[in-house]
Amino acid sequence: MLDLPEANYFLSSAKENEKVILVILGGRQPQASWLGALPNYEIFCADRGAEYALSANRKVTLLIGDEDSTNYDVYAKVLADGGVVQKHPADKDFTDLQLLIKEISKNPCHLLVAGALGGRLDHLQSNLRTFLTYKKTTGKQVLLADGQESVALLFQGETCLVDIKNEPLPKVGILPLAENSVATMDHVKWPMEKMALSLDTPNTLSNRPLDKEVWAQCDEGKIGFYFCFGEEGL
């Protein structure tokens, strides 16, 4: 289970005693109060993500970046607090996230990812594809979240139950992430049962929960189980 301020996420094949890392990237910044309320996960950051972590008084275990979107003081603070810093030149073949994932993949674990949503479309696309590849190669669970939106990445046979904590209830939807995907979703106004999905027909958006518990399953392919908790701030 991943215990977030807005909801609890129960992801299949993720056992309670398995390690979870909080990865913080430099996309849309989560509120410091939201980051501060998360469990005491180890924190791995890509560049400006460390700035977000420090603003919430969270210590960073590993920071990888090229210092192009934050400043030297952030890198110095991570080092002073006992964290590890890997600094790379700005002119390189891989993104900061790809270099970070390379390190995490040495000892794979489940990921809660903040700062991956919003911001530049090319960054969002790159982030999403990078985490899909990580999930494919490691078999670990990945949840992208920032208090306003969340996306649980589900592959064939995987399920996710979300226990929403507060009202108003969020918007919810299924995002097909591969052709020939099939999904099931229940406890919503328009339930789905083994619905065939296409990348060209995004007709599974803006559904509405019937109560505070919503459930989805990826029957085939790859899907994103999406929640929007704060539409007015997007």
Side-chain angles (χ1 to χ4, degrees):
M1 181 188 78
L2 296 177
D3 181 7
L4 277 60
E6 66 275 15
N8 291 324
Y9 294 77
F10 299 86
L11 293 153
S12 64
S13 76
K15 299 177 182 177
E16 286 192 26
N17 60 349
E18 289 185 306
K19 185 175 180 179
V20 176
I21 286 177
L22 173 57
V23 175
I24 307 180
L25 310 182
R28 183 174 60 226
Q29 182 174 4
Q31 291 186 352
S33 58
W34 183 86
L35 282 174
L38 295 176
N40 191 30
Y41 300 131
E42 265 195 295
I43 298 178
F44 287 27
C45 296
D47 210 47
R48 187 166 53 184
E51 186 177 324
Y52 300 166
L54 296 178
S55 72
N57 295 315
R58 301 293 297 260
K59 288 189 176 182
V60 177
T61 299
L62 174 65
L63 167 58
I64 291 180
D66 52 24
E67 207 178 313
D68 70 339
S69 59
T70 190
N71 57 59
Y72 169 81
D73 292 341
V74 171
Y75 283 71
K77 175 63 174 172
V78 171
L79 284 172
D81 287 343
V84 174
V85 169
Q86 291 186 16
K87 191 173 176 182
H88 295 264
D91 295 333
K92 56 187 186 299
D93 293 330
F94 300 98
T95 67
D96 293 337
L97 172 58
Q98 288 173 319
L99 294 171
L100 186 62
I101 288 295
K102 183 178 179 180
E103 289 300 313
I104 294 172
S105 297
K106 294 176 181 178
N107 294 287
C109 54
H110 304 303
L111 303 183
L112 170 60
V113 185
L117 304 170
R120 285 173 48 176
L121 180 59
D122 57 342
H123 287 178
L124 176 59
Q125 172 77 355
S126 176
N127 292 343
L128 184 59
R129 303 316 303 183
T130 298
F131 286 116
L132 286 170
T133 299
Y134 172 82
K135 181 175 173 63
K136 179 181 178 181
T137 56
T138 66
K140 299 299 183 179
Q141 297 289 356
V142 179
L143 174 67
L144 282 57
D146 63 7
Q148 292 181 275
E149 296 178 281
S150 70
V151 184
L153 305 183
L154 302 179
F155 286 5
Q156 183 171 338
E158 294 184 328
T159 63
C160 178
L161 185 149
V162 179
D163 186 6
I164 302 161
K165 294 182 178 180
N166 306 305
E167 294 186 355
L169 298 176
K171 299 289 180 60
V172 59
I174 299 293
L175 309 177
L177 299 177
E179 281 291 0
N180 304 315
S181 295
V182 178
T184 297
M185 181 167 57
D186 204 359
H187 293 227
V188 290
K189 184 175 182 180
W190 298 286
M192 302 161 48
E193 183 174 358
K194 295 187 176 180
M195 178 183 288
L197 305 175
S198 168
L199 294 175
D200 297 329
T201 54
N203 57 354
T204 55
L205 308 180
S206 294
N207 212 323
R208 300 175 185 175
L210 293 178
D211 51 41
K212 290 188 175 182
E213 185 176 278
V214 185
W215 176 86
Q217 176 171 292
C218 180
D219 300 294
E220 294 180 28
K222 303 173 185 177
I223 65 170
F225 190 22
Y226 172 81
F227 286 78
C228 179
F229 293 93
E231 190 170 8
E232 67 284 351
L234 300 178

